[in-house]
Amino acid sequence: MSNFSFDDLQKKDLLTALGLWLVVEAVSFVLFPTLGLINPGARLRTWFLLSLPFGLGGAALVSMSSQFVAQVGDQPRKKLSSLIGQFGGWIGLAGIMFPFFVVCLEFFSTLDLPR
């Protein structure tokens, strides 16, 4: 076996995912509007409220999927289980990065390029 605890792995991944989400929140909802890169107006509040469950749920999904992948390492159907766990991790990362996706969409949709 290995010399790490599944609980420690899940806790570490949860804290890392939450830290990443907080940085993305700060950049997306504080830095970009302050610098004038985006001007979403009233939509900013809606995006922020949507990003809370997506970010927290995504962080939880990342930590659960990493523990799932670590636990199925010795099972006979390792490949399918590992693929399911990795898919869950990617969905969790999409939830964590939701604020950045929305801000990039706003930035590029209002970008005034010469024709």
Side-chain angles (χ1 to χ4, degrees):
M1 265 303 169
S2 60
N3 57 1
F4 65 89
S5 168
F6 290 132
D7 293 333
D8 291 341
L9 175 68
Q10 187 175 12
K11 182 179 177 182
K12 182 184 82 115
D13 287 343
L14 178 65
L15 292 176
T16 302
L18 285 175
L20 174 64
W21 175 66
L22 287 174
V23 169
V24 169
E25 288 276 317
V27 168
S28 299
F29 297 129
V30 177
L31 186 65
F32 280 14
T34 302
L35 293 176
L37 295 175
I38 62 168
N39 189 12
R43 293 179 298 194
L44 186 67
R45 183 175 190 269
T46 305
W47 293 342
F48 179 74
L49 292 176
L50 277 174
S51 74
L52 293 176
F54 285 149
L56 295 174
L61 191 58
V62 165
S63 69
M64 287 187 292
S65 67
S66 69
Q67 182 180 19
F68 179 76
V69 168
Q71 286 179 340
V72 300
D74 295 332
Q75 291 184 355
R77 294 190 173 184
K78 177 181 171 181
K79 189 166 185 126
L80 178 63
S81 299
S82 178
L83 191 64
I84 291 170
Q86 289 175 1
F87 180 73
W90 281 108
I91 297 297
L93 283 174
I96 291 170
M97 296 301 292
F98 172 77
F100 189 69
F101 295 145
V102 172
V103 167
C104 284
L105 180 68
E106 173 71 19
F107 176 75
F108 287 115
S109 66
T110 60
L111 194 61
D112 198 17
L113 295 175
R115 293 185 184 218

